[in-house]
Amino acid sequence: MPLRLVLEPRQATAPLRALISLATTLGLAWAFGSLVFALAGADGVSGIGAAWRAMLQGALGSALASCWVALFMAPGLPPRLLLPVALAAGAAGGAAWAFAPALLKARLGVNEILSTLLLNYVAVLFMEHLYYGPWRDPAGLGFPGTAELPEAVWLPTFFETRVHLGLPLAIALAGALWWLLARTRWGFRARVLGLSPKAAAYAGFRSARITVTAMCLSGALAGLAGTGELLGVQHRVQDGLASGLGFAGIVVAFLARLNLLAVPLAALFLGALLVGADQLQTELRLPGTAVLALEGALLFGALLGEFLAANRLRLVRRGRKEPGHVG
Amino acid sequence: MRSSETPPLLSCHGLSKRFGASVGAGGVLANDAVDLDLYAGCIHALLGENGAGKSTLMSMLSGWLTPDSGEMRLSGAPLVLRSPAAALRAGIGMVHQRFSLVEALSVAENLALAAGGAPDPKAAAELAQRFGLALDPRRRVAELCMGERQRLEILKMLALGARILILDEPTSVLAPSEIGTLYANLRRLAGEGRAVVLITHKLPEIAGAADEVSVLRRGRMVARNLPRDPALPDGWNMAALSGLMVGRELPGESAAPRRKPGEAVLRVRGLCGQGQPPVFSDIDFEVARGETFAIVGVAGNGQEALTATLGGMERPASGSVEVLGRPIGPRTGRDLVAYVPEDRHGAATVPDLTLAENLLLSTTGSRGAFFSRRAGARAAAAAIKALDVTASGPEALARELSGGNLQKFILARELAKAAPLLLVEQPTQGLDVLAVSEVHAAIRHAAESAAVLLVTGDPLEALALAGRVAVLFRGRIAGVVDATAPDAFDRVGRLMAGLGAGGPDMGLAAAGGGH
Amino acid sequence: MSADVFGGLDLQNLASLGQIAVKSSTAVLLAAYGEIVAERAGVLNLGLEGMLLLGALAGFAAGAATGDPLLALGAAACAGALAALLHAFFAVTLGVNQVLSGLALSLLGAGLTGVLGRDLLGAPGLVLGSLPIAALADLPVLGQALFNQPLLTYLALLLAPVLSWAFASTRLGLVVRACGENASAAYASGVPVRLVRFGCTCFGGALAGLGGAFLSLSYTPGWKEGLSAGQGWIAIAMVIFATWRPLRALCGGLLFGALTAAQFSFQTQGAELVPVWGLRAAPYLLTIAVLTLVQASARLRRYSGPPANLGRFFHPEG
């Protein structure tokens, strides 16, 4: 079947797109960035929840923010500034969505996995309210969704594919994030806090502040991911704008073993896989949730892989155990 | 205590256990063909330093580990143990150094968990009375003191019909006065026909209690079933046993030369901790340059929170901590305190970071937005060299170091700050004898130029290093003892048990009161 | 009498509101009990949402195929338990990160039910209606709320005291608590820790599966994608709010139900005070508010500690 897909003229661009073009890839690349960030900022387990929140709400919130810029401020802004302002609004929106759970977590220890998950439903409800209600396209023949955004805010694409400016931006951001975590004092502190909150207290770091900053930063990154999806691919706010993006981010970060520099590769891999699934889905007329099942299975597979890797390590370590550890 | 013809209750022959390699000669031989006989009515002390293989041996006897080779016989019949449950059925009960009690459950519930059936406070009370171990069955374990928890552990084993009781480092959590009660209880239980094993690396503590001694060194039994020698005053030739344990000459621990203390460096005024009631309260003392001041207490008397507050990790509810007139807190004055906390692997270092990065943990001042791996590596190399740390280099992960080497690395890092105050908490817990002497030497050296505050649960360590020893009991300083006084050990022991010093107190606020 | 007319109408309203409130809490309650049992044994299972969906689909499909209520409920419980078994294998046997494993299960559940249930969308099926309990159902207000409900709602109401008693006074409850508080101590006492954890996780999965079946057979009969709408996550929040106690979970669940009922009531009365999306978001926001309250109050927090070994892997050899 894949061969047929490649040869059929109608689908001729599919493999190429599968490799690099799908916008999911860049969404993922950003998603991973925010995820790793959150992981560095909080302890491993809670970081995942933070990232999850960042993913979905951040993506939606920021998409809404930039959409607002595009829809309502476009007439008043010089066209050249429109795209940067929309992107900035997206990032700011993402950070803002992240702020409340971050503060609740840092000050009161409210479990952010739960708070962010529950807020996801709120975000989706709010978005539905907007595109079913006040923001609905009057010319849309009753179809729920906003009007198409002006072309001035679309992210430029390359080579007639769906690869848009977001991809190089995402790769550059991966490098920048790596630098931030590895080379700056703030990054060092965030890593220490992530690995051992007790050590951070011992060293006198301002843990609450680092947590909030890290979570807001990850929210901003996720905001960019959502904005990329909006301005680069869909060009309107509609149903399923960011669906699957958050979960995909978790899977990617896990596949990359939380190594920032490995994330673009992992994102590319998952992106290619999802494109394949996309094709299959069309062929077999599967519902969109099939992607969720695939991601769930992939996550289980990755967990199994981690178990196997860890156990090999454990055996090696047992072999090196010093007498001092035995007694 | 026994005639030579009595057959042993439990005898082990040629027990070996290797870790780290399933086949062949790789890995570490934790126990190498160990023989041991345990007799009814007899208290047997198993001596050995950390890492000698005591715990491995006892884990095999209590079913937690299966021996690779060798055999055990219970009253002459072959015995194979595949789980702790099997060992309990055979009548072998072990009280681990870390109690295996469920803190959230009550005494009766813990007993029911071990002995079967639904929880029944009345039956639990009867059981406690039958074995003469006083316990309130309705209280939650979290509310019990260490001595009570230990009694509960013993009672659990007895409820299961244990005829052989193994206690791992039973005295390490007890106040000196509680040790006496423990030994009296064990003597009575042995008298009823049980075999009791005490595992310890503290020689002096076995003197009064043991009938027999075996010594384990590097996985081998170097002395087996030595009987008590009535001709000696303690019953034992301590020097000979010590030599057997260590197998080499130890660098002698010379008493610190008494210097004239300088100006007061650390001033603690009216310090009260968080919580209701506060975990510690009304703490007042001063430590001068060139002086070592020790705070001792049995675990759970507030010293953990007090140390964290003195080190600036926690805020007090009231009162002040000042070093050279500057306040110490989470955001202030951290550069004035060289602080070695008890938690080596979680607080003082991050196990998954390199030594170079760990070095920057407590020494990052306000030097710009960037952090320099190279400076960290240089300083880490210097620290490794300063205290002779065994590590592959600054890029080694902290988790790869043994406890003693990691502690030396932390100490070197903190000493390099040249801070006016050195605060060390439980500096030698879990270290082997050699590492202990090296850490002690480093602390003595530091005391020549700085004020040293030592927080420890071990009164012997406090008296060996400090000029004055303050005893913390239920969150308050119960008294301060001059370490040079001839009866210092007794008085510290009585204070730790909450009995009062029974002698003239030095006074709580005697600044710079060393001699 | 005028009072009769006035009061009668009001009581009628109140009774039906109460009935809806209790009914609306059922799925959250069953899932929360299941999670409490699993967490008390030390296993954190964030796969509730997936198990609810799997139970809902399995129950609906079995009901539609056989028309037998018992088979439908059995299928739902089995589906939930099987999904939990997968999580238990990863969490208890392999010892991987339980948060991730639970998330994976939620994903898998949502995705699989979407794929498998596509032909059942909008299909007619079995409906499990109310089973009024004779005389009791005629009591004013309370009769409607407590004694005129579907079978699973009675189960949800009864299970709280039963579980509460079992935790406090039975050997099994003691063993479960010990596994969650201190697994190695339990093991030292001869408790088969991993078996207990497997059992509790699967029991929790079965309850969540039943909760799902309630949604697709009684609450909103029929199958639709994602019909649990986050109730699994609300149930997890409820467990924290309830400080791992079944009776408090009952209170939390009823509160959630009351809120849902209030939302219906507002909607039917066309109240424009609060926008509809705000009303629909209220349960989620209120759950967050309750979590915040629990964390902020020192007095509440003192009694709200999770089981000490929650989410921690236990292996006999260390």
Side-chain angles (χ1 to χ4, degrees), chain A residues 236-313:
Chain A
R236 69 171 84 228
V237 175
Q238 58 191 352
D239 203 20
L241 174 65
S243 69
L245 213 61
F247 292 117
I250 293 175
V251 177
V252 164
F254 199 69
L255 287 179
R257 306 199 61 99
L258 306 186
N259 181 345
L260 274 167
L261 298 181
V263 165
L265 281 177
L268 207 66
F269 167 71
L270 189 68
L273 205 68
L274 290 184
V275 173
D278 205 30
Q279 300 286 346
L280 263 179
Q281 220 168 288
T282 330
E283 289 274 315
L284 301 176
R285 289 181 299 108
L286 291 177
T289 46
V291 170
L292 291 183
L294 183 74
E295 287 173 358
L298 206 64
L299 195 47
F300 270 126
L303 285 169
L304 190 64
E306 195 199 45
F307 166 77
L308 293 175
N311 265 35
R312 203 190 55 207
L313 259 183

Side-chain angles (χ1 to χ4, degrees), chain A residues 179 182-186 188-189 191-192 195-196 198-199 201-206 318-319 321-323 325-327, chain B residues 19-20 28 30 51 55-56 313 331 334 339 341 343 346-347 350 353 357 361 364 367-371 373 413-414:
Chain A
W179 177 82
R183 290 283 180 262
T184 68
R185 197 170 294 276
W186 186 89
F188 174 66
R189 291 179 175 177
R191 277 189 294 143
V192 169
L195 289 167
S196 169
K198 261 203 231 149
Y202 165 71
F205 299 161
R206 293 166 186 260
R318 212 174 268 172
K321 215 167 192 178
E322 288 168 35
H325 293 233
V326 174
Chain B
F19 290 102
V28 172
S55 302
T56 305
M313 274 171 78
R331 309 272 170 266
R334 299 297 285 264
Y339 177 18
D343 186 357
V350 181
L353 293 182
E357 287 173 314
L361 196 60
T364 47
R367 282 176 291 143
F370 303 100
F371 106 108
R373 234 168 243 263
R413 173 184 78 189
E414 295 304 312

